[in-house]
Amino acid sequence: MKSLVFALTLVLSVVVFASGGEGGGEHDVTHIPWEAIRNQAINIGILLAAMIFMLRKSIPAAFQARQAEFLEEAKKTEAALKLAEAELKDIKTRLADLEKTEAASVAKAEKEAIVAGEKIVADSQAQGKKIVDDTSLIINAEVLKAKSQIREKIISQSMAITEQGIKASADAITKKSESGFLQDLGQVKA
């Protein structure tokens, strides 16, 4: 930053000094202003000397830094290229292995599919048998329940009919006994 301020100050002073020229008035066209040319040449020389002095270390350092960056990037690129080549080789090897074992893999997959299919069929048959057995048990339980309910209804209706029969008989016997008692009583009074 300090160098930049110094360079700008130097350039501005050279520009101001160079633009100063002569103090005004008319100039002779045929006259060459050697003094102005000399002053400008001195100013340019001073400017060039100052620039060389100030930039003699920073420019090579900048180029060396850029070169180091480029070399580092080149190394990274080379490493990435080697890694990519290794991965490509690995992929090609795996692909070749897959192609070699393709027939065996297909046969193995078919065998596994057959085994899985047989297992599914066996499981389905076992589940079907269990459903049939469960259904049979449920049906038998329902039949027993229905028979029990029918027996209960038959017994309760038989009891009701028998009770009505007994009540009717009892009423008839009671009426017959009353009428016999009344007759006997009527004969005793007479």
Side-chain angles (χ1 to χ4, degrees), residues 75-146:
K75 287 180 183 177
K76 286 180 183 177
T77 303
E78 186 177 342
L81 180 62
K82 286 182 181 179
L83 181 64
E85 287 174 351
E87 288 178 0
L88 179 62
K89 184 178 179 182
D90 183 48
I91 289 171
K92 284 182 179 180
T93 304
R94 288 166 143 185
L95 185 60
D97 290 343
L98 285 175
E99 288 174 353
K100 288 177 187 175
T101 60
E102 177 184 7
S105 296
V106 169
K108 183 179 177 184
E110 288 176 352
K111 184 178 177 183
E112 289 175 358
I114 290 171
V115 169
E118 290 173 353
K119 185 177 183 221
I120 290 171
V121 168
D123 289 347
S124 297
Q125 288 175 344
Q127 286 179 352
K129 187 175 185 292
K130 185 177 182 222
I131 290 171
V132 168
D133 292 343
D134 290 348
T135 306
S136 175
L137 287 174
I138 291 170
I139 290 172
N140 288 337
E142 290 297 321
V143 166
L144 288 174
K145 185 178 173 184

Side-chain angles (χ1 to χ4, degrees), residues 2-13 47 50-51 54:
K2 199 175 188 184
S3 301
L4 182 63
V5 171
F6 180 70
L8 285 175
T9 305
L10 189 62
V11 169
L12 287 175
S13 66
L47 176 65
M51 287 179 65
M54 293 175 63

Side-chain angles (χ1 to χ4, degrees), residues 1-188:
M1 185 67 176
K2 199 175 188 184
S3 301
L4 182 63
V5 171
F6 180 70
L8 285 175
T9 305
L10 189 62
V11 169
L12 287 175
S13 66
V14 169
V15 169
V16 169
F17 187 66
S19 67
E22 289 188 20
E26 289 191 26
H27 298 283
D28 187 10
V29 178
T30 59
H31 174 59
I32 297 175
W34 288 109
E35 189 176 324
I37 293 173
R38 178 184 52 111
N39 288 340
Q40 289 177 355
I42 291 172
N43 285 339
I44 288 176
I46 292 171
L47 176 65
L48 289 175
M51 287 179 65
I52 289 171
F53 178 75
M54 293 175 63
L55 299 177
R56 68 182 165 146
K57 292 180 182 176
S58 62
I59 289 177
F63 279 117
Q64 286 177 351
R66 290 286 283 179
Q67 183 181 13
E69 287 178 21
F70 285 137
L71 290 175
E72 185 178 335
E73 288 297 320
K75 287 180 183 177
K76 286 180 183 177
T77 303
E78 186 177 342
L81 180 62
K82 286 182 181 179
L83 181 64
E85 287 174 351
E87 288 178 0
L88 179 62
K89 184 178 179 182
D90 183 48
I91 289 171
K92 284 182 179 180
T93 304
R94 288 166 143 185
L95 185 60
D97 290 343
L98 285 175
E99 288 174 353
K100 288 177 187 175
T101 60
E102 177 184 7
S105 296
V106 169
K108 183 179 177 184
E110 288 176 352
K111 184 178 177 183
E112 289 175 358
I114 290 171
V115 169
E118 290 173 353
K119 185 177 183 221
I120 290 171
V121 168
D123 289 347
S124 297
Q125 288 175 344
Q127 286 179 352
K129 187 175 185 292
K130 185 177 182 222
I131 290 171
V132 168
D133 292 343
D134 290 348
T135 306
S136 175
L137 287 174
I138 291 170
I139 290 172
N140 288 337
E142 290 297 321
V143 166
L144 288 174
K145 185 178 173 184
K147 284 180 180 179
S148 176
Q149 287 175 349
I150 290 171
R151 278 191 199 124
E152 286 179 20
K153 283 189 179 185
I154 289 173
I155 290 172
S156 64
Q157 285 179 355
S158 295
M159 292 289 281
I161 291 172
T162 304
E163 189 177 328
Q164 287 176 354
I166 290 174
K167 281 184 182 179
S169 295
D171 286 339
I173 290 173
T174 304
K175 285 183 183 179
K176 192 175 176 188
S177 293
E178 284 179 10
S179 68
F181 179 71
L182 287 176
Q183 264 182 356
D184 285 343
L185 207 80
Q187 287 178 356
V188 170

